[in-house]
Amino acid sequence: MSNGKEPDYEVIVIGAGVAGIYQIKRLVDLGIEATVLEAGSDLGGTWYWNRYPGCRFDSESYTYGYSFSKELLEQWHWKERYSSQPENLRYLNFVTDLFDLRRHMQFDCKVEAAHFDESRDIWRLRASDGRVMTCRFLVGALGLLSAATLPRYEGMGRFRGRSFHTYHWPQEGIDLKGKKVAIIGTGATAIQIIPEIAPEAAELTIFQRRPNWAAPLNNRTISEEEMGEIRARYDEIFATCARTPGGFEHEPDRRGFWEVSREERLALWDRLYAEPGFGIWLANFREIFTDEDANAELSEYIAERIRQRVKDPAVAEKLIPKDHGFGVQRVPLETHYYEAYNRDNVHLVDIGETPIERVTETGLRTSERDHEFDVIIYATGFDALSGAFDRIDIRGVGGEALREKWRDSVSTYLGMMVHGFPNFFMPSGPQSGSASTNYPRGIEIGVNWCTALLEYLWEHGYPRAEPTREAEERWTAHVKKMYSTMLMRKAKSWFTGYNSNVEGHEQGKIRYLVYNGGTPKFVKTITAVAENGYEGLQLGLPPTEPDEALPEAGAA
Ligand SMILES: Cc1cc2nc3c(=O)[nH]c(=O)nc-3n(C[C@H](O)[C@H](O)[C@H](O)COP(=O)(O)OP(=O)(O)OC[C@H]3O[C@@H](n4cnc5c(N)ncnc54)[C@H](O)[C@@H]3O)c2cc1C
């Protein structure tokens, strides 16, 4: 609600997830008049919305938590190595209350439009309930996996049972005991849910279009004593995260893939497969990301593991991806996922072979037959990275719409700013250092950079900052170039912007959404930009366009 003066706030932050919470903390510490607008009824972002059974970190909990406050690090006890959604939400609430940030947040406030008023250098926002607010600087902490996408089946509205996307899992919970349940999709979310609900449901039918590779999470609890050891090591832990490409504790094996014997490779993989977390992906040989033959050998190793764990060989084969190699997409981590398929009440339907034709009043119709269900769960993922931005009518200089600018492919400066959209910041935007890493590590880096830039603007009295067209083109070309050596460029995944449920994001149109240079390189680049007086940014008012050439005196 407008408080009678303009702008209402110096800074408005959209989104109260990991990024928005840290951003408001930094602004409050600086004494800036700022607020957070959040579509949900409470804070937490990812960990507020996704309440499905089995939802948890695949980052080590103690590398995921914020690193900025010793007080917080001292006080919080992570109970599990890979903490679950309820605990993660408790953590974010704990942080918010510890620093008394809740009073700077407004909930049930979905921003529908944000327009830049060039005459006054302010952003004017409109929320879905009609509220209008203005600010000088706008921070989009919208989340990269926060725009849930449903498939486009006919008849979806006519199903008489319950159906929902996993992002909108009923907050009050849902009892699946004795129910006939369908789950559509076998991505990271489904891989977490399936083993949790398989023992509960009477029948669980999984509709799979294309399998994903997955590897064991190997989770366990963290005792008081272990937590004490972790606390004592926090400096070292975060220093390691800062040094590794992915912002994790897992460091790549620096030996050459082809320089060691096959026995040595197998020994490494046996060890990593039994170890917790992303080791099998990130502590592996670096060639698995770039060398087809190295990747094929590792993929066959993982395939063999799947064959050992799934009793029915035909089902096992269906669960082994044939269209991409292991690790060229973010690898889902699982707990007894493959064993779920050994249960009599679990059925796998390959919708590559027998496509879903429509949703009926009682279930799903494939090209083969009708299936009856009480509950349909859509585990169909997200319009990743740019989707939440596209869902707001963001307009910059000259009324240019961001979603139009990004229609074919995203372009940014450092993944944090966009030419034509002055005073608009994305601490963990597409093409920033966050998307391919341990997010909170990237988020802290992004928030710190954006906050330092804001301080610089305030200190020097600059009313606005905007990247130049050239700087944006250079960064976008750099991001694109890095895809050329990576096997992931060929995968149908959110790294390449593929999502058949979003118009224009079909296969064959790569969207360069992810910075693949790794954390240390990203930090080096953005630090140098700041040290050089924010090179690439137009600070202050834009140069006035030269007057149109006047006809020479005397010209007819
Ligand atoms: C199931 C799941 C598991 C994950 N596990 C991990 C993990 O183990 N490790 C890891 O590094 N990352 C993980 N991620 C990625 C995760 O999204 C990030 O770790 C992190 O939570 C992102 O924080 P964020 O603040 O950037 O975005 P989010 O947490 O997505 O928060 C964004 C917020 O913005 C709000 N918002 C968006 N649009 C609007 C609007 N128009 N108006 C108002 N509010 C709006 C949303 O409601 C949301 O609350 C996981 C993601 C999912 C979905």
Side-chain angles (χ1 to χ4, degrees):
M1 203 73 66
S2 177
N3 54 14
K5 65 176 176 65
E6 273 199 343
D8 299 309
Y9 297 96
E10 182 69 7
V11 183
I12 289 182
V13 180
I14 312 176
V18 173
I21 294 170
Y22 181 45
Q23 182 64 75
I24 194 68
K25 162 81 172 112
R26 291 294 320 269
L27 293 169
V28 167
D29 285 353
L30 290 169
I32 299 300
E33 196 171 5
T35 191
V36 179
L37 307 181
E38 167 57 52
S41 299
D42 210 338
L43 60 93
T46 292
W47 308 107
Y48 167 81
W49 293 106
N50 293 275
R51 296 184 184 223
Y52 60 82
C55 181
R56 62 176 64 248
F57 289 151
D58 45 26
S59 298
E60 284 70 29
S61 310
Y62 48 87
T63 69
Y64 187 100
Y66 294 110
S67 70
F68 67 83
S69 159
K70 286 252 181 286
E71 186 189 0
L72 172 61
L73 292 170
E74 277 307 315
Q75 291 193 26
W76 185 257
H77 178 166
W78 290 108
K79 307 268 176 21
E80 289 179 282
R81 195 173 170 112
Y82 305 96
S83 177
S84 66
Q85 176 271 329
E87 187 69 356
N88 305 343
L89 186 56
R90 256 195 299 282
Y91 169 74
L92 292 176
N93 274 282
F94 179 82
V95 176
T96 304
D97 292 339
L98 181 65
F99 300 114
D100 193 17
L101 301 173
R102 197 178 291 275
R103 63 202 171 92
H104 304 286
M105 297 177 179
Q106 305 179 44
F107 301 115
D108 297 310
C109 186
K110 184 169 188 202
V111 177
E112 284 187 342
H115 294 181
F116 186 67
D117 177 345
E118 286 165 67
S119 64
R120 317 210 29 220
D121 284 331
I122 57 173
W123 281 94
R124 201 174 295 281
L125 276 62
R126 194 190 65 243
S128 54
D129 61 3
R131 263 183 286 179
V132 172
M133 278 171 262
T134 53
C135 61
R136 200 168 294 289
F137 298 99
L138 178 62
V139 178
L142 304 176
L144 303 182
L145 298 173
S146 57
T149 49
L150 287 166
R152 295 184 276 187
Y153 297 134
E154 245 180 76
M156 282 174 66
R158 298 185 56 202
F159 178 59
R160 286 200 303 245
R162 290 199 65 182
S163 63
F164 43 83
H165 190 284
T166 49
Y167 190 70
H168 297 116
W169 192 274
Q171 299 227 347
E172 68 287 2
I174 177 167
D175 186 3
L176 297 177
K177 256 187 232 101
K179 300 261 169 34
K180 282 191 195 160
V181 180
I183 182 159
I184 300 179
T186 50
T189 295
I191 285 170
Q192 289 188 327
I193 296 179
I194 287 167
E196 293 283 329
I197 64 173
E200 257 186 61
E203 302 289 332
L204 175 61
T205 308
I206 297 147
F207 291 84
Q208 172 177 272
R209 189 175 47 177
R210 291 177 298 114
N212 265 288
W213 294 101
L217 178 66
N218 295 316
N219 192 19
R220 58 179 175 71
T221 54
I222 297 178
S223 66
E224 285 284 352
E225 194 190 344
E226 275 174 301
M227 196 59 224
E229 286 162 20
I230 288 168
R231 282 198 195 97
R233 271 195 326 111
Y234 263 133
D235 284 350
E236 182 196 323
I237 288 170
F238 290 124
T240 308
C241 292
R243 178 172 80 224
T244 58
F248 288 93
E249 270 201 299
H250 310 282
E251 299 202 56
D253 194 312
R254 306 237 166 236
R255 297 173 297 167
F257 186 99
W258 303 111
E259 282 160 24
V260 302
S261 67
R262 176 154 163 83
E263 286 65 37
E264 283 172 289
R265 294 198 284 274
L266 290 175
L268 174 70
W269 295 339
D270 283 347
R271 176 167 68 72
L272 294 178
Y273 200 81
E275 277 182 7
F278 276 141
I280 188 72
W281 185 37
L282 300 177
N284 217 308
F285 300 100
R286 287 166 298 172
E287 288 86 342
I288 66 162
F289 297 107
T290 53
D291 177 332
E292 301 262 10
D293 294 334
N295 184 278
E297 193 179 307
L298 171 64
S299 300
E300 185 46 33
Y301 171 88
I302 305 284
E304 202 42 44
R305 288 294 197 141
I306 297 170
R307 292 185 191 107
Q308 286 161 10
R309 292 174 59 186
V310 179
K311 284 189 191 141
D312 181 337
V315 173
E317 281 319 305
K318 283 192 194 309
L319 293 171
I320 297 170
K322 308 290 189 298
D323 65 342
H324 67 282
F326 182 86
V328 304
Q329 300 173 187
R330 198 162 172 133
V331 178
L333 296 179
E334 47 84 23
T335 304
H336 309 313
Y337 172 63
Y338 292 107
E339 287 73 15
Y341 291 91
N342 297 334
R343 299 177 60 91
D344 292 338
N345 68 331
V346 173
H347 319 285
L348 180 63
V349 176
D350 181 344
I351 55 172
E353 281 173 11
T354 54
I356 293 175
E357 290 184 340
R358 60 171 298 123
V359 180
T360 64
E361 287 185 3
T362 54
L364 294 166
R365 180 173 302 155
T366 67
S367 59
E368 187 187 37
R369 69 177 180 88
D370 278 321
H371 298 256
E372 295 206 341
F373 296 111
D374 303 307
V375 180
I376 300 176
I377 300 167
Y378 293 103
T380 43
F382 299 94
D383 182 0
L385 293 118
S386 53
F389 294 88
D390 290 343
R391 278 158 182 73
I392 303 178
D393 179 22
I394 301 174
R395 288 180 191 258
V397 174
E400 185 184 17
L402 186 63
R403 69 164 79 106
E404 285 305 319
K405 177 173 169 127
W406 283 3
R407 181 170 287 278
D408 292 328
S409 199
V410 162
S411 57
T412 71
Y413 183 47
L414 308 173
M416 294 192 279
M417 297 184 79
V418 186
H419 173 68
F421 297 80
N423 297 351
F424 175 53
F425 303 88
M426 306 175 293
S428 54
Q431 302 188 340
S432 77
S434 293
S436 57
T437 64
N438 195 0
Y439 275 75
R441 304 281 61 79
I443 284 171
E444 282 186 344
I445 290 163
V447 167
N448 288 341
W449 191 88
C450 291
T451 310
L453 170 54
L454 282 168
E455 285 185 88
Y456 186 86
L457 299 178
W458 289 319
E459 210 173 287
H460 291 80
Y462 290 126
R464 68 191 247 182
E466 178 192 350
T468 63
R469 188 187 302 281
E470 297 70 37
E472 178 174 292
E473 282 172 1
R474 258 200 322 278
W475 181 255
T476 304
H478 175 58
V479 168
K480 185 172 172 185
K481 189 161 173 233
M482 271 185 288
Y483 273 69
S484 62
T485 55
M486 309 287 288
L487 296 175
M488 58 102 117
R489 74 186 182 280
K490 297 181 182 169
K492 289 177 177 171
S493 83
W494 49 269
F495 282 4
T496 51
Y498 169 77
N499 186 331
S500 63
N501 298 322
V502 181
E503 204 189 319
H505 294 200
E506 294 87 5
Q507 192 192 5
K509 296 185 188 169
I510 295 193
R511 293 165 63 78
Y512 299 95
L513 295 168
V514 177
Y515 171 82
N516 286 303
T519 303
K521 256 197 210 157
F522 184 72
V523 172
K524 196 168 158 205
T525 306
I526 64 172
T527 307
V529 166
E531 283 171 0
N532 292 330
Y534 293 97
E535 64 181 345
L537 294 185
Q538 168 73 46
L539 300 175
L541 297 176
T544 41
E545 296 290 328
D547 287 340
E548 263 179 53
L550 297 169
E552 277 176 27

